[in-house]
Amino acid sequence: MNPALQGLITIIIGVGGCVGYFYGANLFLDKVMFKPTGPNAGRNINRANIIRPWVFLMPALLALGLYLAYPVFATLRLSFLERLPGNEYAFVGLENYTKMFAEPKFIEAMRNNVLWLVVVPAAATAFGLLAAQLTDRLKWGNIAKSIVFMPMAISFVGAAVIFKLVYEARPEDVAQIGILNHLYLTFGGDAPVQWLQVPFWNNFFLMAVLIWIQTGFAMVILSAALRGIPEETIEAAVIDGANPFQIFFKIKVPQIMSTIVVVWTTITIATLKVFDIVFAMTNGQWETQVLANYMYDKLFRANDWGMGSASAMIIMLMVTPILVWNVYNARKEMQ
């Protein structure tokens, strides 16, 4: 079947199914279960209105349960098991976690993840805030915003390939195609450097990719927040003699702090789950391993489902408090 026709049929069936479900659910509640007639009409209407939201939410709740809740419990179960030959499993309790925490590669992944968490959200949020402030003051600010936001349209793997070319190192007697090595040699460097193989610092070269992508996201959200600041507060600060730096840091930033926190936590969650960039650029070599890449290695390369599931649970435990805090702050802001 033609892919376009197949997509059209899928859309028709999907949208038609949703409309049919909601229309049918309304009819069932109003015409069958709780008829708005007779001596109990008022009570039936109230009951129907109480149940109606849950009926509408049921498909979404079932989908969430099937695609989110079930995998979490299945992964938790696998983290306590050891896979044996013949596709058999044996319960080993916390042995997978004990072995995992004793592995140097896991400790390396944890250390690198913490480093990513310290650098990437802070840098991306700061650059996004700076870009939002500066572009709002330019006549061609919308064009500048489009350029800064453009990396968001690129996949992580695509961005990793682009930056891998930036860090490319060729023999000294060959023309360098990597921008970084070209600049390094132009300004007096001795020989091309394999930037992605330099321990510790190579992590920062990988982080630059995610910062480049997430800066556009931070800029768009924070730009909207800056535009929402009442002009009266800024005008009052100008009258009192405040300079642009004081206006920015003492007037604007405090008023959008809740938005900054939401942006920071959102980028933090994305950082905790980083996988594509590391996989495409170093595959965890040269001391660049992260938790998601470690999990992939255990699950699909070592075929160790127990330790792979245990590492997945560690990632989930690290993400959950930040996610809950983000949701709490978002609801608080709405109220």
Side-chain angles (χ1 to χ4, degrees):
M1 183 183 294
N2 186 287
L5 181 59
Q6 186 177 1
L8 180 62
I9 293 173
T10 302
I11 292 172
I12 292 172
I13 294 174
V15 175
C18 290
V19 172
Y21 173 79
F22 292 130
Y23 181 75
N26 261 329
L27 285 179
F28 181 74
L29 285 174
D30 295 335
K31 303 298 183 182
V32 179
M33 282 194 68
F34 303 107
K35 294 181 179 180
T37 56
N40 296 323
R43 186 173 63 178
N44 286 345
I45 291 173
N46 290 333
R47 287 179 176 177
N49 289 335
I50 292 172
I51 295 175
R52 198 183 314 276
W54 294 102
V55 173
F56 288 173
L57 285 172
M58 190 60 65
L61 294 175
L62 290 174
L64 287 173
L66 180 62
Y67 292 105
L68 289 180
Y70 171 73
V72 168
F73 288 108
T75 304
L76 179 63
R77 173 179 167 272
L78 283 172
S79 70
F80 297 127
L81 303 176
E82 180 182 1
R83 194 178 186 186
L84 303 175
N87 206 28
E88 297 292 332
Y89 294 90
F91 180 78
V92 294
L94 296 175
E95 184 178 331
N96 288 320
Y97 292 90
T98 305
K99 288 164 58 179
M100 183 176 64
F101 278 96
E103 278 197 1
K105 207 65 178 175
F106 176 77
I107 302 302
E108 175 191 314
M110 286 287 290
R111 184 181 66 244
N112 288 338
N113 261 92
V114 171
L115 186 62
W116 279 70
L117 285 177
V118 170
V119 175
V120 174
T125 304
F127 287 141
L129 181 59
L130 180 63
Q133 173 66 13
L134 293 178
T135 53
D136 281 341
R137 300 172 67 91
L138 298 174
K139 292 182 178 179
W140 45 278
N142 289 334
I143 298 175
K145 285 180 181 179
S146 300
I147 295 172
V148 175
F149 186 74
M150 197 175 295
M152 284 291 294
I154 304 173
S155 68
F156 282 9
V157 174
V161 171
I162 292 171
F163 271 80
K164 200 168 184 179
L165 292 173
V166 171
Y167 302 141
E168 180 72 21
R170 291 192 168 186
E172 194 171 355
D173 56 344
V174 178
Q176 298 295 319
I177 65 169
I179 298 173
L180 198 56
N181 267 310
H182 178 75
L183 293 174
Y184 177 70
L185 294 176
T186 300
F187 289 98
D190 298 329
V193 179
Q194 296 286 350
W195 301 104
L196 295 179
Q197 297 181 22
V198 180
F200 181 71
W201 296 107
N202 50 9
N203 286 288
F204 291 94
F205 295 133
L206 297 179
M207 292 177 205
V209 184
L210 190 56
I211 293 171
W212 181 61
I213 294 173
Q214 294 294 335
T215 294
F217 162 76
M219 178 199 66
V220 170
I221 304 300
L222 295 175
S223 178
L226 287 171
R227 288 175 180 272
I229 295 175
E231 286 293 332
E232 293 80 4
T233 58
I234 299 173
E235 291 172 359
V238 171
I239 292 172
D240 290 339
N243 60 47
F245 286 98
Q246 290 173 325
I247 292 173
F248 180 71
F249 288 106
K250 294 185 178 181
I251 303 298
K252 291 184 176 181
V253 170
Q255 292 190 70
I256 64 169
M257 185 55 68
S258 59
T259 306
I260 292 174
V261 170
V262 170
V263 169
W264 181 84
T265 52
T266 303
I267 297 175
T268 298
I269 293 170
T271 303
L272 271 171
K273 300 183 293 182
V274 66
F275 166 76
D276 317 58
I277 295 169
V278 176
F279 182 78
M281 297 184 73
T282 64
N283 196 22
Q285 301 178 84
W286 310 300
E287 300 180 17
T288 60
Q289 186 72 291
V290 290
L291 286 173
N293 202 76
Y294 176 87
M295 176 191 70
Y296 178 86
D297 286 344
K298 288 297 180 183
L299 279 172
F300 301 110
R301 289 181 172 158
N303 204 26
D304 190 339
W305 288 22
M307 287 184 66
S309 299
S311 59
M313 295 308 300
I314 295 297
I315 297 173
M316 192 194 76
L317 288 174
M318 294 176 70
V319 169
T320 301
I322 302 171
L323 182 61
V324 171
W325 187 43
N326 204 4
V327 172
Y328 170 77
N329 282 328
R331 287 184 174 179
K332 188 177 178 181
E333 185 72 16
M334 290 175 65
Q335 293 174 355

